Amino acid sequence: MLQQQLTTLLAQTDIALTEKQQQQLVHYVELLNKWNKAYNLTSVRLPEDMMIKHIMDSLVVAPHLPGHHYIDVGTGPGLPGIVLAIALPETQFILLDSLGKRVRFLMQVKHELGLKNVTPVQSRVEDYQPSVKLDGVLSRAFASLQDMVDWCSHLIDHSGKFIALKGVFPSEELESLPAGVKFEQKITLEVPKLDAQRHLIILSKD
C-alpha cells in the first residue's frame, strides 16, 4: 500500500527514483512508524501521512542541492537528511542531533537501508566541527533563520549556503537577518497532496 502511494505521489513530480530507492523510502517509513511507538520521534502517527508530510516534503528539495557535502542540523529522525541521502546517493550527508535516541534510530536506518552516504552524529550544533568542507547547512522546522545563522555560521565558509525548509514565506525573519548574511534565493516548492505552503530559503555569507 505504501509502495503504491509513493508511486502515485512521485508521478506528480519531476523526481525520478529507481525501484531500489523507492523500496528504501518505504522501508524508512516502516522503521519510523515502528520506532515512533516507543521513541516518539514524530507527531505524525500514520505511515500514509508520513509519506506525504515527511517523505515528499523532504524529497522535493533534492533537485535544488548541487553540492556534494551537506549537514542536516536538528535532523530529528532524519528529516530531510535520510530522504535526501536516498534520493542523492552520490552526495554525503552528516545528520546532526543532540538526542541519543534519535541518533540510535538513524544508525539503525543507515544499517538496515545500507546507506553509505550518511553519518549520524550526536552533538549540539555549536560544539560540532566538520572534518570536510561543507556545501551547505540544511534545516527543516529547526529554528528561526537568525538562530540558524547564529548557531551554524562556523560550519560553512563564504562558498557554502544556509538552506532552510520553511512553510509560509518568512518575511519578518528575512528582515532581521544579522549583518554579514545575505538572502540569495527563495524557491517555492510543490508537495503533492499537501495543502500548505512550502519554501526553500537560501542564504549565504557576505
Side-chain angles (χ1 to χ4, degrees):
M1 182 176 145
L2 288 174
Q3 180 69 59
Q4 180 58 51
Q5 182 191 14
L6 178 59
T7 303
T8 304
L9 290 166
L10 283 172
Q12 298 172 54
T13 73
D14 294 329
I15 298 165
L17 297 180
T18 65
E19 191 173 330
K20 180 187 175 185
Q21 286 170 310
Q22 292 186 46
Q23 287 169 353
Q24 285 175 314
L25 288 170
V26 169
H27 193 178
Y28 173 54
V29 170
E30 290 169 349
L31 285 170
L32 187 53
N33 182 49
K34 177 181 165 186
W35 279 59
N36 201 37
K37 293 177 172 68
Y39 283 83
N40 201 23
L41 298 168
T42 168
S43 59
V44 180
R45 296 293 171 198
L46 297 174
E48 52 270 34
D49 290 340
M50 291 177 187
M51 194 62 84
I52 296 166
K53 294 178 178 177
H54 288 333
I55 304 304
M56 296 308 299
D57 197 43
S58 299
L59 206 52
V60 291
V61 177
H64 307 291
L65 300 182
H68 297 289
H69 289 93
Y70 290 92
I71 183 167
D72 178 11
V73 294
T75 187
L79 300 162
I82 289 286
V83 178
L84 293 172
I86 291 169
L88 303 167
E90 302 302 313
T91 303
Q92 296 292 321
F93 291 89
I94 298 163
L95 309 181
L96 192 76
D97 204 276
S98 59
L99 268 188
K101 68 177 182 179
R102 292 178 187 151
V103 175
R104 283 193 295 277
F105 171 69
L106 294 171
M107 296 296 280
Q108 185 67 24
V109 170
K110 174 179 177 164
H111 171 69
E112 289 208 24
L113 301 189
L115 296 175
K116 303 279 192 285
N117 60 332
V118 301
T119 307
V121 176
Q122 184 180 350
S123 173
R124 292 173 60 215
V125 65
E126 306 95 300
D127 302 332
Y128 182 70
Q129 293 294 337
S131 57
V132 294
K133 182 175 154 66
L134 296 170
D135 296 300
V137 176
L138 293 160
S139 85
R140 177 183 185 261
F142 169 62
S144 69
L145 292 175
Q146 180 149 8
D147 284 345
M148 182 189 182
V149 168
D150 287 346
W151 296 342
C152 303
S153 196
H154 65 288
L155 298 174
I156 55 171
D157 62 17
H158 283 75
S159 64
K161 311 287 185 198
F162 299 101
I163 303 165
L165 287 68
K166 290 284 187 179
V168 176
F169 184 71
S171 307
E172 289 183 12
E173 290 180 34
L174 285 167
E175 284 168 15
S176 58
L177 282 178
V181 174
K182 65 180 178 186
F183 169 53
E184 281 216 345
Q185 189 183 6
K186 75 153 186 175
I187 299 167
T188 303
L189 301 170
E190 296 290 335
V191 182
K193 300 292 184 204
L194 188 68
D195 184 23
Q197 292 185 45
R198 286 292 183 269
H199 292 92
L200 201 59
I201 306 298
I202 301 175
L203 311 173
S204 64
K205 293 184 177 182
D206 269 344

